[in-house]
Amino acid sequence: MSAIRVVPNATTRAVSLLRTIQYTHPPSCPCHSNPNHHHHHQKGPLLTPYARRNTARGYATPQPEKEYAFEMAASAIRFGNGVTREIGMDLKNMGAKNVAVVTDGTVDKLRAMDQVRAALGEEGVNYSVYNRTRIEPKDSSILDAIAWAKPIMPDAFVAVGGGSVIDTAKLMNLYTCYPDADFLDFVNAPLGKGRPIDKPLRPLIAVPTTAGTGSETTGTAIFDLVSRRAKTGIAHRNLKPTLGICDPLNTSTMPSAVKASSGLDVLCHSLESWTAIPYTERVPRPANPILRPAYQGSNPISDIFSYNALRSTVKYLPRTVHDPEDEEAQYQMLLAATLAGVGFGNAGVHLCHGMSYPISGQNPGYKQHGYEVDSPIIPHGVSVAVTAPAVFRFTAASNPERHLQAAEAFGVDITNAKRESAGELLGEAINKFLDVLGDQPRGLKDLGFGREHIEDLVEGTIPQARVLMLAPGLATELEREKDQLRQLFEDSLSR
Amino acid sequence: MSAIRVVPNATTRAVSLLRTIQYTHPPSCPCHSNPNHHHHHQKGPLLTPYARRNTARGYATPQPEKEYAFEMAASAIRFGNGVTREIGMDLKNMGAKNVAVVTDGTVDKLRAMDQVRAALGEEGVNYSVYNRTRIEPKDSSILDAIAWAKPIMPDAFVAVGGGSVIDTAKLMNLYTCYPDADFLDFVNAPLGKGRPIDKPLRPLIAVPTTAGTGSETTGTAIFDLVSRRAKTGIAHRNLKPTLGICDPLNTSTMPSAVKASSGLDVLCHSLESWTAIPYTERVPRPANPILRPAYQGSNPISDIFSYNALRSTVKYLPRTVHDPEDEEAQYQMLLAATLAGVGFGNAGVHLCHGMSYPISGQNPGYKQHGYEVDSPIIPHGVSVAVTAPAVFRFTAASNPERHLQAAEAFGVDITNAKRESAGELLGEAINKFLDVLGDQPRGLKDLGFGREHIEDLVEGTIPQARVLMLAPGLATELEREKDQLRQLFEDSLSR
């Protein structure tokens, strides 16, 4: 590979739906005339900010090259009202004889599981049901699920539920295919060993029952690593489900509050992947394509998914939350969740998600209105959206055009808007949207957080290197980065 | 499955980039209140036009139900200047030890093959090269390629070239995985037996050297079935390449005329898939998901790909044709070809493609300017684009909004445009675009066709049922359909 180093040039500019977005990379490398033999020039103090960040964080290469390619992959998606019932034929077509159906105690009693059971029964497919999936899975809950699966050794997996269920099923699939692996082997570095998944796993069909995570399209599984007090995960393309069966009728069972928080997750998936650093700014360029992360920064194909998902979410989320009979909105929100899943699954998320993990984990006692739960819970979507106004005010300077376009997706007239106003316009648009949605906290104070919690929230965010490295404008020097995060949490206290 | 029949409703409306497109299906089924148990009502004379078409063509169901779901699948795509060189590591990561590299005599001498050879050499991957691929493959040329591969029994395939090469490699993969199958077993019905591919094939990495076919993303392979004097093919999702390696530097070797005709193929892929009948109008609903065709009609996800590809092609194709140094345009055209591939690969094409096969096959002696060939050739892209102005004038009545949006992609101001003018506006926009591109025939007459050829052209189009069934507005009664095709060829004689 060392013979060919190609500098990203004008041709790496993003295609956009509405206009051409220009990435900030210089359009050509002026010192060389042969485009096949460009060498990358480090500018200024030898390393770019992202290079400095990564070097500081222990990457081996002293002068890492920037990325020059992107890769897009997504699960096959089947979409339609009532399509769950095809799953029996799918499994029979695959020749599956011993299927593990993964769900949780709630979904086990709902329409989606009824349909799956009926479909498997009709086709005479043998299956076992695991329904102990924990919402917001922990390593211990995942180990329980893996321990359940190992003696069964299923030849195919079916996940019926929200992101927690689908993510748990992905890990059951992984660790039954690598029965001798240590749990930390595949966990994202630096908490785990970040071992790549070097063989195909068994078929996994995901049947989402929320319009939120997009996990049916991605190779990511998220959980709490309790021993390290951190939210982390495993991310590799081979974790992707074989097929996502997206049946809007399965999402009609969501209570309104769950629709809202799931939908806010979609909103942030699309906003964060749309505004993530361009893939050409990510370092290091992987030495082997198997090491190219799925969270690779924004790119011309993820942009298309992310921006479409954003527009749809703005249009349909309030409708689906306020009118449980609005089938069109329900269909469009599941579609938006899936599109956003493809977008962020190949581009990544950044600050809202990175900051959300300590917010959920350090919950002072908040219970989301409309959630029938015994213990306090800040739903994932609420914890990502609560910082969104402050986050996008902060990131706007990195790419004002993109932030103006995001504001336009919220209906803001940007005809005469100035670049310097991009953050303010987008932040205000998000605020208004949250108010229209209703029942949303107006900042961290409403969740029970005060200034005294900020230091712990900052400390809980720092380990989220995998997403923070995609945040535009975040400093690479640790103390400066902490200052910025402190300010973001402070700006998120109330709005 | 018979217990659940769900009528497509308002929620099947398409998501659009610029506004919401509404499909023409009624928004709800008024006689039933339980959305899980709608039954489909046949309107009017029991069968819809498409049902009549299919019944007339020999489908068994007397009252076939319309489709209610769509499925999206595409190859993983890696995209970047210089990325070809990663292919050695990819094959090594897969554990491939005996690779068949498929190319043609021309590409074998170009940069792309140099890069592939070097990459395989660096990683010490054992490979054999087949370079006898015929441009516009015939069954005999494909059988030659399969006969070459069978004794080698490769464990992975690499295709380096345009659509002909990639399609040939797909079929080499298929028939070495089913060594006892008869060639016609998998060929699209009614010419072949249309047997579904019921197991995964071997890994296939496609490296396109033209920005045209999008074959690197699709499960389609097209060839001439000489014995039946027809262009046909094999289409199944399992034919899809594992990975498309899209390296814009590989497309810089195309002569200008090849860039133009490849790009016109992209233009028609995007226009035809964008205007194809909606998937909810396709019949019959498949009895088993394995029978759901890849060419399923337009749907909310293919729409996103098709419309983006259309906008990019309009913007970048003239630049790449007129300025061989314009690397940005070259990058964007390869991206557009790939996006259009995902679009039409999941939605289908219709009249331009259906009519192009007899145009190419019955060439009276035309040689495209800029093609250095001994025998006459109407390049595929030229043969699809020559009827486009007439085709979209004809199809506009089926969905004026969509055709107006297509005209807008060409830069037409549609603010005050009337629905009735949609066809005229789009047809005129395509005419202008072809003129700006230059060196394009101004109709079939410029290719050497006259009125005396029309009957044969019509007869050569009729067998293209697989794409004609996706053409909006085409009659189902054979004589009426022939009249319409006759008129379309006549309207395409000159412009």
Side-chain angles (χ1 to χ4, degrees), chain A residues 160-217:
Chain A
V160 186
S164 302
V165 166
I166 300 173
D167 287 5
T168 299
K170 287 175 184 172
L171 300 178
M172 293 163 80
N173 190 4
L174 174 63
Y175 286 99
T176 52
C177 285
Y178 288 91
D180 299 326
D182 184 76
F183 186 67
L184 284 177
D185 283 356
F186 292 99
V187 173
N188 295 327
L191 293 172
K193 293 180 200 154
R195 176 177 164 187
I197 302 172
D198 57 6
K199 62 181 182 189
L201 306 183
R202 297 208 176 80
L204 163 59
I205 302 182
V207 185
T209 58
T210 63
T213 73
S215 181
E216 67 278 9
T217 75

Side-chain angles (χ1 to χ4, degrees), chain A residues 327, chain B residues 7 28-41:
Chain A
E327 282 185 37
Chain B
V7 89
S28 70
C29 184
C31 316
H32 297 263
S33 57
N34 180 347
N36 294 7
H37 287 274
H38 279 173
H39 288 257
H40 187 69
H41 297 268

Side-chain angles (χ1 to χ4, degrees), chain B residues 306-390:
Chain B
S306 302
Y307 196 77
N308 269 276
L310 176 59
R311 288 181 63 97
S312 276
T313 303
V314 169
K315 179 166 182 182
Y316 295 107
L317 181 56
R319 281 174 51 180
T320 193
V321 167
H322 295 136
D323 179 3
E325 305 295 314
D326 189 338
E327 282 184 38
E328 184 192 9
Q330 192 170 284
Y331 181 105
Q332 294 290 355
M333 270 314 298
L334 183 56
L335 187 59
T338 302
L339 296 178
V342 180
F344 90 85
N346 288 280
V349 285
H350 55 81
L351 284 163
C352 298
H353 272 74
M355 294 164 69
S356 78
Y357 299 129
I359 292 172
S360 296
Q362 299 171 23
N363 182 4
Y366 180 78
K367 284 188 193 182
Q368 176 68 25
H369 180 78
Y371 271 65
E372 291 176 20
V373 284
D374 298 327
S375 44
I377 182 169
I378 304 175
H380 174 64
V382 173
S383 71
V384 292
V386 72
T387 60

Side-chain angles (χ1 to χ4, degrees), chain B residues 134-151:
Chain B
R134 187 192 147 90
I135 303 308
E136 305 288 325
K138 302 180 182 199
D139 44 1
S140 57
S141 75
I142 287 164
L143 289 171
D144 178 74
I146 295 167
W148 175 88
K150 275 189 176 173

Side-chain angles (χ1 to χ4, degrees), chain A residues 275-336:
Chain A
T275 56
I277 63 164
Y279 71 99
T280 47
E281 290 295 315
R282 200 191 73 250
V283 287
R285 175 188 299 196
N288 184 310
I290 206 174
L291 300 173
R292 182 166 284 124
Y295 283 14
Q296 54 196 326
S298 59
N299 61 71
I301 303 186
S302 68
D303 285 350
I304 295 173
F305 283 93
S306 302
Y307 196 76
N308 270 275
L310 176 60
R311 287 181 63 97
S312 276
T313 304
V314 168
K315 179 167 183 182
Y316 294 106
L317 180 57
R319 283 174 49 179
T320 191
V321 166
H322 295 137
D323 179 2
E325 305 295 314
D326 189 337
E327 282 185 37
E328 184 193 8
Q330 193 171 283
Y331 181 105
Q332 294 290 356
M333 270 312 299
L334 183 56
L335 187 59

Side-chain angles (χ1 to χ4, degrees), chain A residues 58-87:
Chain A
Y59 284 90
T61 323
Q63 296 190 15
E65 285 187 292
K66 287 184 183 175
E67 180 61 280
Y68 74 121
F70 66 93
E71 187 161 332
M72 285 293 300
S75 306
I77 293 295
R78 191 183 302 147
F79 205 101
N81 282 334
V83 78
T84 312
R85 280 298 275 273
E86 297 188 358
I87 197 169

